[in-house]
Structure formats: structure tokens, C-alpha cells
Amino acid sequence: MKQYLITGMSCAACSARVEKAVSDVSGVTSCSVSLLTNTMGVEGTASAEDIISAVRKAGYDAALKKREEDSNQVKSKEEDLLKDNETPLMKKRLISSLCFWIVLMYFSMGHMMWGWPLPYFFAENHVAMGLLQLLLTVIIMVINQKFFINGFKSLWHRAPNMDALVALGSAAAFIYSTVALFAMTEAQVTGDASAVMTYMEEFYFESAATILTLITLGKLLESRSKGKTTDALKSLMKLAPKTATLLIGSEEVIVPITQVSKDDMFVVRPGESIPVDGTVLEGSSAVNESTLTGESIPVDKEAGDSVFAGTLNQSGFICCRATRVGEDTTLSQIIQMISDASATKAPIAKVADRVSGVFVPVVLAIALITVFVWLLVGQTVGFALARGISVLVISCPCALGLATPVAIMVGNGKGAKNGILFKTAVSLENTGKAKIVVLDKTGTITKGEPKVTDIISLNGISEDELLGLAYALEQKSEHPLAKAISMRAEEEGIKAKPVEDFRSMTGNGVVASLDGKSIIGGSYRFMKEQIQISEETGRQCELLAEEGKTPLFFAFDDELLGIIAVADTVKDDSSHAIKDMQDMGLRVVMLTGDNEVTAHAIGSKVGVDEVIAGVLPDGKEAVIRKLQEKGNVIMVGDGINDAPALTRADIGIAIGAGADVAIDAADVVLMKNSLSDVPAAIRLSRATLRNIHQNLFWAFIYNTIGIPLAAGLFISILGWQLNPMFAAAAMSLSSFSVVTNALRLNSFRMYGREEDMDKNSEKDNTIKEDNTMEKKMLIEGMMCGHCEMHVKKALEAIDGVEKAEVSHETDTAVVTLAREVADDVLTQAVEEEGYQVKKIQ
């Protein structure tokens, strides 16, 4: 996606006009314009020259967002583009306008309404009074000439915008008042005193000036609030250090960050920020990575560990080698991802865009109709004109245009602060619409750091011999289970023999040759097809699987050598995160290539709703497609082995990305390896969508009520009549209120119980605290995960039992009840399975 900086836009009608003009360019496949950041994202083969030309023909200007090269390094200019240059200018315009507006209001309203004293010359000479008002109004119009320049320019290009409404409203009041002033002058020359007073009442100079002043005030409030929506992105940009201390030979040299190249040696002292991504060569320290991951606890670093640009070295002195510099650093990629997301549009914004595209022409038509209708029913020109001007100035397309992008920007920033990165506005909107969450087991529910738990040698070989042959085979494999075997062998001091013709059978096992003989390792299902396995060995495999372990078989020269069992520990927050998602009305499914028994043991432990086991990586995509028949699906995986499933799912979430934030297959990237970030991302998405709905409701209801009120439809019914000045005040506050509402997302609690549960979900897991209770049972006799499954199944079969969490390690079962269930009923169900209940609390 190429991004462009657009200038000259003032409202949603402008962004709609630019978007339409660029979309019509040959070669453009998609175009999205952001009124919030004044940027445009374009995809396709069209040249930058053609795109810029189309924007200019539409009445605006565009420039390609460039990245400048300095010493072969790339430095982003995003911070300059996000700098709030508009607010200071608006502030100067407002102060200048107010100085003259206060004087104008004193002469025009203060004397006439409240009898404030005036110099004799003005009190007796009404023409002089009118000329003074005209002069003050002209000054205010010159100060706010931008409204007239942009407004009439947009009319010339037949694409009227909000500035056109303000310019027409203010100009109409000014021109009518000027005509009345000349007529009054003529009446005073002829000595017609009554006519002079009549024309005096037809002055609308103060309305013209007040419209401009109040709209400028509204624009100032809006620009200040819009500036705050990009605070998260700007704070990330400020993290990047401007200099680095390179180690050249034995000397330390401070250089600009743009002069750091890959493989350069650099040093970081305590209290300094790390300049680029790198690997620690010497020293150790605690590094605060909260700026990237949201995790406040410092991470210990020593030789061999990775460090990231923008993080803070807190304690020790470290020497590092640069691995990623310029735009390749993790920090730069995060900034680019947020910037790209802000340049895209959420599907919900399409309704507002369609309305914005025709909004201003429709308002102009309504204003003209209003004036003619009031003239036809016998009202004065001044009255009819006031109603038309009120329609022009109260109408606000800006609120419609800002309703979605401000919420998207704040939501994206909130996520980024907590290590949750949404790649597009579409992913931020759709994450909260999911009904099913599919979790990969290894590295998502579990830590992804398996360890060898059992070594069972067969056919007369020793455990060390079995481990040595397994090590020889697995040393070339990248699978986590293979690494566990290699780690155990290295701990035992075993050296690996070289193997040849190594082949990995994805999802099944590995094959190689050693000393001219075949050596095979893999799962029970795979090995049964290769060699003969006795029933007794098969039963040993089942027992290991029931304990949540993964048994791996190894054979040499077609003879079974033994079994090595590997187990992965469950993450500390997995059970809580899964319960959290269920409380939000989501169905949680565990998807794994592991065997049924092992998978169900782990699934039972963490409390998922469904376990789908024995699925190879290429089969996960088909499972996701089938689940999508029941609703929107989120797939959570590591972003590498699960790429097809992540792509197939409605939303793919890559967990524990760390430095690899640009995972192509994922729609959402989680920097931390914490499953709790998944419900947090869903919560944030739902909160953002609610905020957008609120903004759109306010924008639509404001215009739906405001325009008829301004046109005078309620005068005969309720006696309500809107002065153009109050109409301008209402317009000024409309956009400000929308942006302010979006800023409330900054205080949203992402990590906590869902306040607004999805009651329309297919599976309603809502827990009603008033109607549920828990009982804790102390059970004797449980030995493994298989025992847990039996007890859990027996308890959950009882009417009134919602859920049972069973652990053989603590000899307990925590039973959640929807209503009262007698203790003897619970006891009987457990004891019928062959276990003894010692106590129920």
C-alpha cells in the first residue's frame, strides 16, 4: 500500500470526493482516505503521478509519503506528518476573531438589547453604526478567509463541502445586511425615519461574524481532540533514540541513528534506550520492554538474547551486535502497522461515506427550498433568509466523517500500548464479531517448551542408547518436541552421531539413515505403519497419553528401540483466558495434531468447550472452514505452522510474535506470549465498535433533528425558532463531541470481565452470580489425566451441574452449580467411578 498526504480537506464530503476521484484512476484496486490523519492509502498499479493528478483535478493537493535515505539507512517521516500544525493556527485565528467579534457584539447587540452606552456620534447616526458593523464583519471575514477560499473552490469543482456551507451562510447574511445598509442610507437621506429603523432591524452582520467565529472555535476544539487520538502513535515514534554509541575498535563513538548499519557493534549503559534491534554479545541487564509489549516487569538479558529498539536498559552495561536497523526494527514495523491501519476503512464506515458524498448538495437544496417556502407563505426576506442560513450552518458532515476513523485510531493506539496490533480497521471491527475461538495447543495454550518426562527402552538397549539414537535423528528437526529430546541429550552429555538422507514427514515423524541403516521416529499412528508394535507397548502409549504426555516411538533397522515421552506445560493464564472468553459468549475450541487422549487431557485441564485432535497442519484449514458454518471464527496460533488456518479464519491472531510483528497470515499480532491478550483484543474490538455506533448515532440524530429545527418546521407546532448564531454554535460542538467520545476509549479496561456480554451468541456461557454456587470436593484415588476425565464426566452428567474443574494433582474437584445439588448425589456419582470422596466444602 502506498500512502499519500492530502491537503485541502475540511470535512467528510472532501474525503468522499478524493476517494471517488482516485478510485476512478485506471490501475487503482482500492483507495481509502482518512479525514483524521489527512492521509490516503492506495493499492494497485497506478503511478503516483496519475493519482496526484486525479486529486488535484478534484480540487485538492496530494504528495507521496516518502522515506528519505541517509547513508543507506531509512528514516521515517511519519512524526512530521502527525505533528499538529493546525491547532496553533486555529488558535491565532480564534483570538483575532474574538477581539473584533466582542466589539461588534457590543455595538450591534449590547446597545439595542440592553441599552449599553455608545458615543453620541454612533447613537444618533444609524448609518455610521451600520458602517462600523460592516467594517468589523469584513475584518472577521478576512481573518477567516480560508472558509471562503476552500468553500468557493469546492463549488467551482462541483464538489461542495462543509466550508461551502459556512461560506454561503456567512456570505448570504453579509450581502443581505449590506443591501439593507445601502437602503437605510437612502432612507436617511430622504428623511424616512421609520424606514431607517426597519432596515436597522434587517442587519445580520453579527450573525455572519458569529458564524465564522463559532465555527473556528469548533474547529479548534476538534483539531485539539483529533491531535490526542494520535498520541499513542506519536509516543511510539518518540521512543526511537536519535543517536547510538558504536564500538569501533576499542573506541566508543556517538553517531546519528541513521549511520548505524547491520552487524555494527554498539554499547548501551544503564538508563539509556536501546538504539536498534540487536543481539547481546557481552554483559547482562534487565530491560524494560513495556513500550513494545505492555509488560511492565523488566526482562533479564544476557549473551545471546535479543534486544529491541526503543526499550530501556535499566541496570547493566551491555555490548550488542545490530541485527535490524532503520525501518526493519520491531519498533518501526509497529509504527508502520498502526499507520497503515489508520489509512484503511472499517466496513461500518461505508454507510457514513455514502451519506457524506451527497450530504452537502442535499443541504444546499434544503436551504434554498426553506427560503422559497417561507417567502411563499408571506414571511419577510430577512426571516426567510435567516431560516436558510440556519440550515446551512447547522448541517455538519464532519461529525459523520470523523465518527469511525477517530474511534479506529484511538482503539489501535490503545491496543498498541498493550502489545496488541490490529493490521487494518477491518480486523479491529471484525475481531469482536466472532462466535468461535479456535486455539492451537502447542505454544498457544501450552508454553511451547516441552521437556522429556519418560524414557522407556525396549529390546535390551539402555536408556542412554535410546536417547543417543533419538538425538542423532532429531538434531536436524525444528519441531519443539525434537528440541526437547536434543536438550535432554545435551544435558546428559550425549554426542549426536551424524545421519544422512534426513526427511521430515510433516505432522507425523522423521526418517534418516545411520551407518547405512534406517532410523525412524514419530507418533504411534505413524510408527504403526512402519513397524510392528505389540499390544503391551500400545497400552503403555495410552497410559502416557492419558497423563497429558506425547509418546514418541523410535526404531532402528526396523526394530523398535523404545518410547520417549515429552510433555508441555500449560501457560499460567490459559485456563483464566479461556474462562474469560466463555464468559463473553464465545465457544472455545482446541485444535491440535496431538493424539486424542493427550489432547483431551489438556483440553479438560484448561476447560475448552471442544477438542479437535489428530489434525495435521494442512488439515487445520479444512476444520476452520467447517466451523465457519456456525459463525465467525478466530484462529489463534504462532503465525508460522498455522499460516493456512490463520488465513482461512475470519480473523487470524498470531500470538507471541515478539520481533516478527509483520506476520503476513495474521490480521492481529500479539507481541506477548500471553493468551489473556486474546480476550483483551476481542473486548477492545467490541468497545471500539460500540463507540463507533454511538458516534454515528449522534452524527445522524444531530442532523436529523437539527436541520428541520433550523428550517423552522417546529415554529408552528412548538414555537421553536433557531437563530443562525445558535445554529453555528451547535455545529461547532457536534464534531467536538464525536471526537471526545472516541477519546473515552483510552480509559477502557481491556483486561477484565466483559461488561456487555454477547447475548445473541450460539453458546451463552454467561454466569449469573446471584444464581450460581461452587462446591469444592476432596477426592482420593485419582492418579492421572484419565482419572480426571472420568470424574469430570460423571459430575457434569448430574442435572444442575454447570461445570466441574478436576485436578488429580491437588485431589480436588471444583463444581459450579446452577442450582442446589445435594452432597450425597455428588458423592454417589464420583464413587460409582471408583474414587472416594473425603470431604465437600
Side-chain angles (χ1 to χ4, degrees):
M1 176 190 288
K2 289 184 179 179
Q3 289 197 38
Y4 296 80
L5 181 66
I6 309 296
T7 54
M9 295 192 302
S10 61
C11 69
C14 299
S15 59
R17 171 75 173 170
V18 172
E19 198 166 297
K20 185 178 184 302
V22 174
S23 296
D24 290 339
V25 175
S26 177
V28 172
T29 55
S30 71
C31 172
S32 175
V33 179
S34 172
L35 179 63
L36 175 65
T37 56
N38 290 320
T39 57
M40 174 177 66
V42 181
E43 291 183 352
T45 57
S47 67
E49 291 77 12
D50 290 343
I51 290 170
I52 292 171
S53 176
V55 174
R56 287 174 178 167
K57 285 178 182 178
Y60 307 91
D61 201 0
L64 184 65
K65 277 190 179 182
K66 294 181 179 179
R67 292 172 177 272
E68 59 184 10
E69 286 197 9
D70 183 9
S71 303
N72 299 320
Q73 300 302 322
V74 183
K75 183 181 180 182
S76 175
K77 297 174 71 178
E78 294 284 345
E79 194 171 356
D80 293 335
L81 296 174
L82 285 177
K83 188 177 179 181
D84 187 5
N85 296 314
E86 188 178 0
T87 300
L89 294 176
M90 281 287 180
K91 191 174 180 181
K92 288 181 181 178
R93 273 173 55 186
L94 179 61
I95 292 171
S96 300
S97 299
L98 283 172
C99 290
F100 293 98
W101 178 79
I102 291 170
V103 177
L104 172 61
M105 293 305 288
Y106 183 93
F107 279 90
S108 62
M109 304 291 287
H111 174 68
M112 294 179 64
M113 295 181 67
W114 298 293
W116 291 351
L118 287 177
Y120 176 80
F121 178 75
F122 289 111
E124 294 297 323
N125 192 333
H126 297 297
V127 173
M129 172 76 82
L131 287 172
L132 178 63
Q133 291 184 42
L134 182 146
L135 178 62
L136 291 169
T137 304
V138 167
I139 293 172
I140 293 173
M141 292 173 76
V142 171
I143 291 170
N144 295 284
Q145 61 185 284
K146 189 175 180 180
F147 287 123
F148 297 95
I149 294 171
N150 292 340
F152 290 119
K153 187 178 178 182
S154 70
L155 287 171
W156 177 259
H157 288 281
R158 291 178 295 177
N161 57 14
M162 187 211 76
D163 287 341
L165 297 178
V166 175
L168 286 173
S170 181
F174 177 78
I175 292 170
Y176 179 77
S177 302
T178 303
V179 171
L181 175 60
F182 279 103
M184 185 184 73
T185 304
E186 185 179 351
Q188 184 161 323
V189 171
T190 59
D192 189 347
S194 62
V196 170
M197 295 308 297
T198 300
Y199 286 123
M200 189 76 175
E201 293 174 359
E202 296 295 313
F203 284 176
Y204 285 95
F205 288 119
E206 76 282 350
S207 292
T210 301
I211 288 168
L212 295 172
T213 304
L214 288 178
I215 299 299
T216 302
L217 172 62
K219 282 289 183 182
L220 172 64
L221 295 173
E222 180 188 316
S223 65
R224 283 175 67 102
S225 298
K226 280 166 63 177
K228 290 180 181 178
T229 64
T230 56
D231 279 351
L233 185 53
K234 286 185 282 192
S235 65
L236 281 174
M237 292 176 178
K238 290 176 182 176
L239 291 174
K242 301 296 186 288
T243 60
T245 305
L246 295 185
L247 191 62
I248 301 175
S250 58
E251 292 186 13
E252 293 182 9
V253 181
I254 298 176
V255 299
I257 197 70
T258 53
Q259 293 183 16
V260 181
S261 302
K262 188 178 178 182
D263 293 328
D264 279 352
M265 305 267 286
F266 64 90
V267 296
V268 188
R269 289 178 168 76
E272 294 180 348
S273 291
I274 293 169
V276 296
D277 290 5
T279 303
V280 179
L281 299 177
E282 295 178 19
S284 61
S285 181
V287 177
N288 187 336
E289 297 182 347
S290 61
T291 51
L292 298 186
T293 66
E295 182 60 59
S296 59
I297 300 174
V299 180
D300 291 331
K301 301 288 183 180
E302 56 187 26
D305 290 337
S306 297
V307 290
F308 306 110
T311 56
L312 183 65
N313 179 26
Q314 288 193 331
S315 55
F317 178 90
I318 51 176
C319 177
C320 312
R321 175 180 284 113
T323 55
R324 294 181 181 182
V325 298
E327 66 178 357
D328 295 326
T329 65
T330 304
L331 179 63
S332 294
Q333 289 183 51
I334 291 172
I335 291 169
Q336 188 60 43
M337 193 179 296
I338 298 172
S339 180
D340 287 345
S342 69
T344 62
K345 283 196 174 178
I348 196 172
K350 292 178 181 178
V351 176
D353 287 346
R354 284 196 292 268
V355 173
S356 299
V358 298
F359 185 87
V360 177
V362 169
V363 168
L364 288 172
I366 293 172
L368 287 173
I369 292 169
T370 299
V371 172
F372 285 123
V373 168
W374 282 114
L375 289 174
L376 286 174
V377 298
Q379 287 291 347
T380 64
V381 175
F383 181 91
L385 189 62
R387 304 288 73 73
I389 293 170
S390 294
V391 170
L392 289 175
V393 297
I394 200 171
S395 307
C396 188
C398 286
L400 283 171
L402 291 171
T404 301
V406 290
I408 293 292
M409 176 60 85
V410 178
N412 259 320
K414 178 74 173 177
K417 284 182 178 179
N418 291 276
I420 300 172
L421 308 175
F422 295 91
K423 284 192 174 181
T424 63
V426 177
S427 60
L428 178 55
E429 177 180 336
N430 289 342
T431 299
K433 295 180 179 179
K435 302 294 181 185
I436 302 168
V437 179
V438 180
L439 306 174
D440 179 49
K441 178 178 75 70
T442 305
T444 301
I445 293 177
T446 62
K447 292 181 178 179
E449 300 172 356
K451 295 182 179 180
V452 173
T453 57
D454 300 86
I455 301 177
I456 303 172
S457 57
L458 304 170
N459 298 324
I461 70 164
S462 66
E463 290 185 1
D464 285 349
E465 287 177 303
L466 170 59
L467 186 58
L469 287 168
Y471 181 29
L473 178 61
E474 299 286 12
Q475 64 177 322
K476 292 187 177 182
S477 174
E478 293 297 319
H479 197 281
L481 300 182
K483 290 181 178 179
I485 292 174
S486 298
M487 188 180 296
R488 177 64 177 269
E490 289 169 3
E491 289 173 357
E492 300 287 339
I494 296 173
K495 293 185 178 180
K497 297 179 180 179
V499 296
E500 299 174 342
D501 302 325
F502 176 85
R503 285 176 294 135
S504 177
M505 315 297 287
T506 305
N508 291 296
V510 288
V511 179
S513 62
L514 178 64
D515 298 331
K517 298 178 182 180
S518 67
I519 179 169
I520 309 171
S523 65
Y524 177 59
R525 184 175 60 183
F526 171 70
M527 294 297 284
K528 273 201 309 182
E529 297 173 358
Q530 311 297 323
I531 60 172
Q532 188 172 356
I533 299 176
S534 66
E535 289 185 8
E536 183 182 349
T537 304
R539 282 195 296 274
Q540 280 183 301
C541 171
E542 289 179 9
L543 288 171
L544 290 168
E546 286 170 2
E547 295 175 9
K549 301 172 183 177
T550 302
L552 300 173
F553 290 75
F554 293 90
F556 181 64
D557 197 19
D558 295 331
E559 181 181 5
L560 182 64
L561 300 179
I563 305 171
I564 297 179
V566 179
D568 194 1
T569 54
V570 173
K571 291 179 184 176
D572 296 337
D573 66 337
S574 289
S575 296
H576 180 271
I578 290 167
K579 179 70 161 51
D580 218 1
M581 286 185 272
Q582 290 169 335
D583 287 347
M584 294 162 69
L586 297 164
R587 180 172 181 80
V588 184
V589 178
M590 187 178 84
L591 183 61
T592 179
D594 220 332
N595 65 76
E596 289 276 352
V597 181
T598 302
H600 277 91
I602 293 175
S604 172
K605 187 172 184 179
V606 296
V608 296
D609 297 303
E610 183 182 355
V611 175
I612 302 176
V615 183
L616 301 180
D618 56 356
K620 291 181 179 180
E621 187 262 353
V623 172
I624 296 296
R625 190 187 297 116
K626 187 175 180 181
L627 288 171
Q628 284 175 320
E629 296 173 3
K630 302 176 183 177
N632 286 4
V633 175
I634 290 175
M635 173 68 196
V636 186
D638 59 18
I640 302 169
N641 298 327
D642 304 305
L646 289 171
T647 305
R648 166 58 59 182
D650 297 283
I651 292 293
I653 299 181
I655 190 170
D660 301 317
V661 295
I663 296 172
D664 293 332
D667 302 292
V668 183
V669 178
L670 307 181
M671 295 287 290
K672 292 178 287 185
N673 201 15
S674 171
L675 195 59
S676 294
D677 283 346
V678 176
I682 296 170
R683 262 192 213 96
L684 180 60
S685 170
R686 290 182 178 180
T688 303
L689 197 57
R690 277 197 302 272
N691 195 279
I692 292 171
H693 285 149
Q694 292 164 1
N695 288 344
L696 287 174
F697 172 79
W698 164 248
F700 278 114
I701 204 71
Y702 163 80
N703 286 292
T704 303
I705 296 173
I707 293 174
L709 176 62
L713 290 184
F714 300 120
I715 291 176
S716 58
I717 304 170
L718 302 171
W720 292 353
Q721 180 175 318
L722 191 65
N723 185 289
M725 291 186 290
F726 292 108
M731 182 188 182
S732 300
L733 293 173
S734 59
S735 298
F736 173 67
S737 63
V738 165
V739 179
T740 303
N741 184 55
L743 289 172
R744 291 192 308 112
L745 283 171
N746 282 320
S747 59
F748 176 71
R749 289 182 59 194
M750 294 170 56
Y751 298 90
R753 185 177 172 81
E754 177 75 356
E755 294 177 6
D756 185 16
M757 294 185 185
D758 187 356
K759 296 179 181 178
N760 296 318
S761 177
E762 293 177 11
K763 180 176 176 18
D764 184 9
N765 287 314
T766 303
I767 296 178
K768 298 177 182 177
E769 297 180 1
D770 294 338
N771 299 325
T772 60
M773 63 174 66
E774 284 186 352
K775 289 189 177 183
K776 186 175 181 180
M777 304 175 67
L778 187 62
I779 302 171
E780 196 173 80
M782 295 189 295
M783 303 294 291
C784 62
H786 188 63
C787 300
E788 290 179 359
M789 289 174 60
H790 279 293
V791 174
K792 179 180 175 69
K793 188 175 179 181
L795 289 170
E796 291 183 346
I798 300 171
D799 186 28
V801 174
E802 279 193 351
K803 190 176 182 181
E805 296 181 1
V806 185
S807 171
H808 74 275
E809 295 174 352
T810 59
D811 293 329
T812 59
V814 178
V815 186
T816 304
L817 306 173
R819 56 180 175 273
E820 181 62 39
V821 177
D823 290 353
D824 56 349
V825 174
L826 298 172
T827 301
Q828 183 180 351
V830 173
E831 291 185 346
E832 283 179 356
E833 296 296 323
Y835 306 96
Q836 188 175 358
V837 178
K838 287 292 187 181
K839 187 179 180 182
I840 297 181
Q841 298 176 339

